[in-house]
Amino acid sequence: MTEIVTRLTQVQQQIHNACIQANRAPSSVTLLAVSKTKSAQLIQQAIDAGQRNFGENYVQEAVSKIQQLAHNSDLNWHFIGPIQANKTRLIADNFSWVHSVDREKIAKRLNEQRDPNITPLNVCLQVNISDEQSKSGVSAQELFTLADFINNCKQLRLRGVMAIPEKTDNIEQQLQQFSALQNLYLQLQQRYPEVDTLSMGMSNDMAQAIGCGSTMVRIGTAIFGKRD
Ligand SMILES: *Cc1c(COP(=O)(O)O)cnc(C)c1O
């Protein structure tokens, strides 16, 4: 087994344990392997071990790897990085999910550019849960306005919310941020019953995120090792 396969198996086990701990079905959490900055060759090792969902942050880098890995069947590519308006076409053409939509302008462009002959682009709205000035994401107040807009976009399919909480080692503060996002997710689901994705939890906080209802954890370092 390669190092990546060993770590992938460990992460799967951690997710499984966190689900049992939280009284949840292990199948209720999807593992998104975050492969940004990692080579197509390394990603292929994870694919060979059965991994199918991959997250990328940089459009050009991602598109090159998506093309190199196109011979693999059933891969789902998720765009999770900040979105520049001039990159929306590449995202619409190459990804099946976007987790980082945070403004109408971007949603409008993705909707116009997504080929109507393929499945709609799955969208999570990024929420700025800690209200940090520097961070991207809509505020809790703006979330529902943007959700209503996406709901009217034919080539987009509203799936849920995503957040990158403020970094902290304080478990209480972590839980507070995850619970706040979970609340918004449940409210959004009340309004749009098809909403089924709560994208939260990374290498350092996946168990806490699963405890707060995460349905998709985005794991990079714990699978692929440190990034340069
Ligand atoms: C890089 C990244 C991750 C993965 O973070 P790790 O700490 O390496 O697991 C998850 N989500 C987003 C949005 C990222 O940019």
Side-chain angles (χ1 to χ4, degrees):
M1 256 204 275
T2 69
E3 210 176 333
I4 283 177
V5 176
T6 305
R7 284 196 293 239
L8 181 63
T9 310
Q10 283 166 354
V11 168
Q12 287 164 343
Q13 191 62 48
Q14 284 172 36
I15 292 170
H16 183 94
N17 293 346
C19 285
I20 301 301
Q21 203 46 251
N23 251 316
R24 299 182 50 193
S27 62
S28 65
V29 177
T30 299
L31 170 56
L32 178 58
V34 176
S35 46
K36 62 183 177 214
T37 79
K38 302 298 175 180
S39 70
Q41 218 177 353
L42 292 181
I43 299 171
Q44 185 67 53
Q45 293 179 16
I47 296 171
D48 291 342
Q51 180 64 30
R52 283 295 173 273
N53 288 287
F54 292 92
E56 289 281 341
N57 289 53
Y58 312 106
V59 177
Q60 245 112 22
E61 176 204 327
V63 168
S64 151
K65 290 188 280 184
I66 291 170
Q67 285 165 358
Q68 290 174 67
L69 294 164
H71 58 280
N72 297 283
S73 55
D74 306 324
L75 295 188
N76 295 310
W77 292 97
H78 301 237
F79 190 77
I80 62 175
I83 307 174
Q84 292 169 278
N86 64 357
K87 298 281 164 45
T88 51
R89 184 173 295 281
L90 282 173
I91 294 174
D93 283 346
N94 290 281
F95 287 82
S96 50
W97 284 74
V98 192
H99 292 224
S100 43
V101 173
D102 66 355
R103 55 198 195 276
E104 216 171 277
K105 178 186 177 185
I106 296 297
K108 184 168 181 286
R109 290 176 65 93
L110 289 170
N111 184 54
E112 285 166 1
Q113 293 166 344
R114 181 72 167 182
D115 179 352
N117 298 312
I118 58 176
T119 54
L121 187 58
N122 296 295
V123 170
C124 290
L125 303 181
Q126 184 171 353
V127 183
N128 185 350
I129 206 69
S130 47
D131 266 325
E132 284 175 90
Q133 288 299 323
S134 60
K135 225 172 237 169
S136 27
V138 285
S139 65
Q141 293 85 337
E142 298 163 326
L143 174 65
F144 293 88
T145 311
L146 184 56
D148 290 343
F149 182 83
I150 306 260
N151 190 51
N152 287 318
C153 292
K154 276 222 162 54
Q155 302 336 312
L156 305 182
R157 187 168 161 217
L158 180 65
R159 297 297 295 266
V161 288
M162 181 275 255
I164 309 168
E166 194 178 353
K167 247 203 168 81
T168 171
D169 292 329
N170 182 328
I171 299 265
E172 282 302 310
Q173 203 182 339
Q174 252 175 25
L175 291 178
Q176 195 203 331
Q177 298 187 62
F178 286 148
S179 306
L181 188 65
Q182 183 184 29
N183 267 323
L184 290 173
Y185 167 69
L186 294 172
Q187 285 175 43
L188 197 63
Q189 205 171 43
Q190 289 282 316
R191 188 167 173 131
Y192 302 108
E194 67 275 21
V195 160
D196 60 1
T197 305
L198 177 51
S199 168
M200 65 181 191
M202 315 200 323
S203 293
N204 287 325
D205 54 19
M206 64 180 121
Q208 292 91 312
I210 289 169
C212 292
S214 169
T215 69
M216 202 177 281
V217 288
R218 309 180 308 268
I219 310 297
T221 311
I223 297 170
F224 293 104
K226 275 209 164 60
R227 291 177 291 271
D228 301 328

